[in-house]
Structure formats: structure tokens, C-alpha cells
């Protein structure tokens, strides 16, 4: 199939050609005709599949073909997405795809001052891309009205719920016109997501692209089994491979991410971290430095990395093995996008071996083990039962720690009070 077969406005086709897209991806081929025919759509697809263009192109087409009654531009399409990074990327895509037809968009997200965003809104926009919190905030202050929204996209619905946005979404839904076209995308479709989709969509057409098989086809995956204390040295050993020009490294925790950056910097390997404790300008700077090649390693936590779109990213490294196998699929989906070759390298310490097994089950594929390396696993790996015991013991210790701390604090508080009285 070609883009020309999709009956999109010629200004859109021209913009798509400028992006060097030769043919629609699977999700685009399925979604675009349905959206052009005004259907609501329930799409199961993750970032990296070409999902943004799948909804952006037909929405722009509708907007170009709709007559504007009013001279002042109103928000006619609303895209709500969980993270700032995703929001920025979606807006950038809208800008690229509407290059030749003057459909205007803007993006709003929290963590930065609102003034610039408000000013841009006041000039009038057709498409608004937003994260939920800032959207509600600016609606509350009277800067945004949703009464003219004819197209609504809820992006990454599963991640939205994971991040606790359910109440915000419900509030936004209350303010949307009843008569509208709605598109709902999620990487996974558990029951709570389907339930939410039922409250938003009207007779939706369902489409799915199978991320797991895409993963298997385009991404070469390998795993190193090692010990906890050897992880850092193993990372340095892996980075000796000069073919790894740039690497997106995942760390489970923010603190872990900062530590890795410190250690790499000590070895003169340029690195930066992107996570929830970094300010928006810091995150932007890290991402830009990675994109323009001034740093070699970008260290990210899962939520911060969500939606990061880096053209031609080949290497992804899992410094730990995520305990939810879906997270692994999300992580390695950052590389090898839209059919490009990708390489995923994972490091497993004994405790994480069971998680690696879960992942292999989900992707229905054995991840190739790298056997000859200087830091093989010598500590005894745990089986599922031992792992359960271990977690139980860990929780018990944690609770004990907090209980002790509380006791100490109470005792200290008592002293303070006595001091105050004196
Ligand atoms: P997305 O899933 O929307 O984040 O898109 C992933 C990447 O694929 C982005 O870098 C897009 O620019 C790119 N892309 C989207 N559609 C196509 C296409 N039809 N052909 C090639 N690349 C595409």
C-alpha cells in the first residue's frame, strides 16, 4: 500500500513525502481509512509503530476539509498524552504533517511556567496536545475551552492509568462535547483499560498491531548473566565496543540512573540522565545532547523514557531486568523503529533471572545469552519460590526498618517537645 492510496489531502501527502516515509506502517494502513470514515477507533499499539501519524494524518485531513465558521481559530482537535516528552513529540509531528496547509497546533505540559503556553493559545490553535494536569489547570483558569473539539485522542491510555491520571481524564471527558470522534490508543488492553474505553468510544472499530512480533523481527536481543557487584564493570566492558556509538540505557530507579552517569563520567564516557527528579529544561538538554551526539549514553528511567523518539537509535541496554515483562517490550521498542535495525542488550543479576524468564515467555522467544564474557554469574540464581521468599523477607526487613525509624522519631519528637517546654 502507498500513502497515495489513502485518499489523504494532497498537502498532507506532500508533507509525508518530506519525511521520507515510503509506505504506511501497519497501524497507519489500518487506522487511517477508518478515521477518515469518521469511526471511533480502539487501537492496540505502542509507540514506535507509527501510531502518531496514524491518528494525526486523518485528523489534519478532517480539519483541512472542514469549514471554519469563525475567524478566530478554536481548539478543534485535542490529544491527551501522559508525558511531556510524548506531548512535545506528538506536537512536532503535527507541525511536520501540516506544513503545507496552515493547521496550527500547540503543546502544553506541566513543570514549566505557563506564560508562553498561554500566549500561544491566545493566538488560536486548531490542534492542542496536552498532558492532563496542565490542561485542567489552564481550563480552570479560563484559557482553554473544549466546546469546539470535534476530535479527541487519548494516547497511551495504559500508561495514563499507571501514572494515576484516571480522575483527570474523567474531568476532561466531562468537558468534551458529546458529538465528537474519539480515538483511543493503548499498548496493552487489560480490563480496566477496556472499561475506560467504553466510556469514551462509540461503536469503535478495533485495530491492533502486534508489538511482540515486531520486536522479534527487527531487534536483535542478547543477555549477559552476571553478579550484582559486577554490573558496572560489565557495562564498561560492553561499552568498549566502538560500534555502540550511542546507547539508551534503562535504570529502574532515579538514584541508580544518577549513579550510572557518575561512574561513566569518571571513565570519560559522556552521559546524562533523564528522570522524574530532573527539571524540564534539564531533560530537554539531556535529550538534545543525545540527539546531536554530544553524549554517548542517555540513562533513563521507564517513565521518563516513555515516548522518547530518537531517529536511528540502534542500541538499548537494560541495566536491570524489569519485573513486568511488558516494560521490557516498551524499553526495547525505543530502538529499531519503523523497521530499522535495533540491538537490545540486557544485564541480569541472579535475582533478576526469573524476570528474564518471564520476558522470554511473553515474547515467545529465547533471548540469546552472551556466554564468553569476563563477569559470568557465579552467585546462585534464585528460582521462583526462592525469589518469593526473598521478596517476603525484603518486605519484612523494610517494614521493620520503618517501624524502628518511627519509634526513633517519636522518641526524638518527645525530647523536642520537652526542649520546647523548657
Ligand atoms: P511513533 O510510533 O508515532 O512514535 O513513530 C515512530 C517513528 O516512526 C517516528 O520517528 C516516525 O517519524 C516514524 N514513522 C512514522 N510513520 C512512518 C512511516 N510510514 N514510514 C517510516 N517512518 C515512519
Amino acid at each position: 500500500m502507498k500513502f497515495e492510496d489513502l485518499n489523504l489531502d494532497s498537502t498532507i501527502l506532500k508533507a509525508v513525502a518530506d519525511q521520507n516515509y515510503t509506505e504506511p506502517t501497519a497501524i497507519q494502513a489500518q487506522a487511517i481509512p477508518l478515521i477518515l470514515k469518521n469511526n471511533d477507533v480502539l487501537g492496540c499499539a505502542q509507540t514506535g509503530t507509527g501510531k502518531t501519524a496514524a491518528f494525526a494524518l486523518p485528523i489534519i485531513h478532517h480539519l483541512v476539509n472542514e469549514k471554519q465558521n469563525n475567524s478566530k481559530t478554536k481548539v478543534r482537535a485535542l490529544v491527551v498524552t501522559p508525558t511531556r516528552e510524548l506531548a512535545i513529540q506528538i506536537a512536532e509531528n503535527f507541525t511536520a504533517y501540516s506544513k503545507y496547509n496552515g493547521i496550527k497546533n500547540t503543546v502544553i505540559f506541566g513543570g514549566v511556567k505557563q506564560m508562553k503556553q498561554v500566549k500561544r493559545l491566545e493566538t488560536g490553535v486548531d490542534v492542542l496536545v496536552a498532558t492532563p494536569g496542565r490542561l485542567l489547570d489552564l481550563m480552570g483558569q479560563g484559557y482553554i475551552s473544549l466546546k469546539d473539539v470535534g476530535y479527541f485522542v487519548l494516547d497511551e491510555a495504559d500508561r495514563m492509568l499507571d501514572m494515576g491520571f484516571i480522575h483527570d481524564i474523567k474531568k476532561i471527558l466531562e468537558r468534551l462535547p458529546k458529538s465528537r470522534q474519539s480515538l483511543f490508543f493503548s499498548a496493552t488492553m487489560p480490563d480496566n483499560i477496556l472499561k475506560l474505553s467504553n466510556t469514551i468510544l462509540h461503536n469503535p472499530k478495533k485495530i491492533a498491531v502486534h508489538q511482540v512480533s515486531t520486536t522479534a523481527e527487527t531487534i536483535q536481543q542478547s543477555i549477559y548473566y552476571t553478579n550484582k557487584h559486577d554490573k558496572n564493570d560489565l557495562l564498561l566492558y560492553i561499552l568498549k565496543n566502538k560500534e555502540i556509538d550511542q546507547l539508551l540505557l534503562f535504570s529502574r530507579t532515579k538514584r541508580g540512573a544518577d549513579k550510572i552517569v557518575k561512574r561513566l563520567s569518571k571513565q570519560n564516557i559522556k552521559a546524562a540522565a533523564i528522570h522524574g527528579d530532573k527539571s524540564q529544561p534539564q531533560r530537554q538538554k539531556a535529550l538534545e545532547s543525545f540527539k546531536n551526539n554530544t553524549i554517548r549514553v542517555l540513562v533513563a528511567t521507564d517513565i521518563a523514557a516513555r515516548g522518547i523518539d530518537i531517529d536511528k537509535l540502534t542500541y538499548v541496554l537494560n541495566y536491570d531486568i524489569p519485573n513486568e515483562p511488558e516494560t521490557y517490550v516498551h524499553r526495547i521498542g525505543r530502538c529499531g523503529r519503523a523497521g530499522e535495525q535495533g540491538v537490545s542488550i540486557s544485564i541480569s543479576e541472579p535475582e533478576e533471572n526469573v524476570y528474564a524468564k518471564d520476558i522470554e515467555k511473553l515474547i515467545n522467544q529465547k533471548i540469546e545469552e552472551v556466554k564468553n564474557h569476563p563477569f559470568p554469574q557465579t552467585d546462585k540464581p534464585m528460582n521462583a519460590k526462592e525469589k518469593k521468599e526473598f521478596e517476603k523477607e525484603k518486605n519484612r526487613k523494610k517494614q521493620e526498618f520503618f517501624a524502628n525509624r518511627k519509634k526513633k522519631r517519636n522518641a526524638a519528637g518527645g525530647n523536642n517537645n520537652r526542649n520546647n517546654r523548657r
Side-chain angles (χ1 to χ4, degrees):
M1 184 188 261
K2 290 200 181 107
F3 275 103
E4 283 72 16
D5 303 328
L6 289 169
N7 295 321
L8 287 163
D9 189 82
S10 60
T11 56
I12 300 173
L13 291 178
K14 197 164 169 230
V16 165
D18 282 1
Q19 295 294 309
N20 296 320
Y21 298 171
T22 46
E23 57 182 69
T25 63
I27 188 87
Q28 291 162 4
Q30 291 179 59
I32 293 173
L34 294 172
I35 302 173
L36 287 178
K37 283 196 199 123
N38 302 314
N39 290 289
D40 278 7
V41 167
L42 176 63
C44 187
Q46 69 170 136
T47 301
T49 53
K51 178 181 54 141
T52 314
F55 62 75
L57 302 181
I59 287 180
I60 297 170
H61 177 97
H62 282 316
L63 296 178
V64 169
N65 285 283
E66 252 174 27
K67 284 203 178 67
Q68 276 258 65
N69 300 327
N70 230 309
S71 56
K72 177 114 171 72
T73 315
K74 304 266 178 59
V75 177
R76 294 188 286 157
L78 172 68
V79 182
V80 180
T81 191
T83 68
R84 312 161 208 202
E85 284 78 12
L86 265 173
I88 292 170
Q89 269 154 29
I90 293 172
E92 280 172 0
N93 285 2
F94 267 98
T95 304
Y97 305 146
S98 43
K99 187 168 157 192
Y100 298 111
N101 50 42
I103 296 296
K104 293 200 321 181
N105 76 76
T106 197
V107 57
I108 59 171
F109 47 83
V112 291
K113 292 209 175 98
Q114 69 176 44
M115 203 171 71
K116 258 196 197 160
Q117 298 178 356
V118 168
K119 277 210 170 126
R120 173 85 178 130
L121 280 167
E122 282 171 347
T123 66
V125 292
D126 302 286
V127 181
L128 177 62
V129 184
T131 54
R134 179 57 58 98
L135 174 62
L136 285 169
D137 195 0
L138 295 186
M139 280 163 61
Q141 295 178 54
Y143 291 117
I144 297 168
S145 157
L146 300 184
K147 73 177 183 24
D148 295 292
V149 170
Y151 307 94
F152 171 60
V153 182
L154 189 71
D155 185 41
E156 309 253 339
D158 50 355
R159 191 60 41 169
M160 291 267 195
L161 296 204
D162 283 353
M163 291 171 73
F165 284 136
I166 184 71
H167 297 294
D168 286 355
I169 295 169
K170 285 186 177 157
K171 277 188 213 150
I172 295 164
L173 289 172
E174 279 167 17
R175 305 285 289 275
L176 283 170
K178 292 270 168 301
S179 156
R180 57 165 202 258
Q181 185 177 5
S182 302
L183 314 171
F184 184 106
F185 289 92
S186 188
T188 54
M189 287 289 167
D191 281 350
N192 58 344
I193 295 290
L194 282 174
K195 222 168 115 194
L196 176 67
S197 78
N198 280 333
T199 67
I200 297 177
L201 303 170
H202 182 68
N203 287 337
K205 300 279 183 209
K206 296 183 181 124
I207 54 176
V209 287
H210 295 292
Q211 51 191 16
V212 169
S213 61
T214 323
T215 301
E217 279 158 23
T218 57
I219 302 173
Q220 182 206 323
Q221 302 166 61
S222 63
I223 186 162
Y224 289 77
Y225 290 97
T226 191
N227 304 305
K228 194 181 177 76
H229 57 273
D230 285 328
K231 273 187 166 178
N232 188 49
D233 289 334
L234 177 58
L235 173 64
L236 296 176
Y237 168 81
I238 292 170
L239 284 172
K240 276 193 189 150
N241 179 356
K242 292 283 175 286
E243 268 177 31
I244 306 179
D245 53 345
Q246 285 212 293
L247 178 74
L248 175 61
L249 185 153
F250 283 94
S251 155
R252 190 169 22 221
T253 63
K254 297 180 243 183
R255 250 187 84 209
D258 287 334
K259 268 193 195 160
I260 294 168
V261 169
K262 248 190 200 160
R263 290 198 198 117
L264 289 176
S265 304
K266 265 194 193 155
Q267 303 295 323
N268 293 324
I269 297 170
K270 292 204 172 84
I274 173 167
H275 58 62
D277 286 350
K278 301 272 179 192
S279 67
Q280 183 59 12
Q282 280 174 324
R283 290 195 204 190
Q284 288 288 108
K285 192 175 161 226
L287 193 57
E288 281 310 310
S289 319
F290 192 63
K291 283 186 177 177
N292 65 28
N293 240 324
T294 45
I295 59 170
R296 186 175 172 208
V297 183
L298 182 67
V299 182
T301 54
D302 289 302
I303 287 187
R306 189 80 186 158
I308 286 183
D309 184 12
I310 301 151
D311 273 353
K312 302 215 166 28
L313 174 68
T314 309
Y315 293 92
V316 163
L317 187 138
N318 296 297
Y319 194 77
D320 49 55
I321 309 291
N323 55 2
E324 287 173 13
E326 289 82 8
T327 305
Y328 174 85
V329 178
H330 284 310
R331 284 181 174 187
I332 75 168
R334 305 300 102 211
C335 72
R337 292 184 150 201
E340 299 255 350
Q341 185 61 46
V343 178
S344 148
I345 303 163
S346 301
I347 298 180
S348 179
E349 60 183 69
E351 260 178 50
E352 295 165 343
N353 289 2
V354 283
Y355 302 146
K357 291 276 164 300
D358 286 346
I359 291 166
E360 289 180 336
K361 245 186 253 160
L362 176 80
I363 63 174
N364 199 18
Q365 180 186 352
K366 185 136 182 66
I367 306 173
E368 195 188 325
E369 181 184 348
V370 182
K371 289 213 168 105
N372 292 322
H373 66 86
F375 308 100
Q377 208 166 72
T378 46
D379 299 347
K380 188 175 164 287
M382 289 185 220
N383 62 30
K385 198 175 156 210
E386 285 165 334
K387 176 87 192 146
K388 221 171 149 186
E389 292 291 319
F390 174 84
E391 292 289 344
K392 226 166 116 184
E393 181 60 15
K394 202 164 84 181
N395 278 336
R396 196 191 59 74
K397 280 192 185 146
K398 209 160 113 186
Q399 276 167 10
E400 197 178 271
F401 170 79
F402 284 120
N404 280 339
R405 198 169 67 168
K406 206 171 159 191
K407 258 192 223 158
K408 274 188 200 154
R409 280 209 179 138
N410 285 344
N415 286 340
N416 283 345
N417 287 343
R418 268 199 300 279
N419 288 342
N420 287 345
R421 276 200 297 272
R422 252 183 238 150

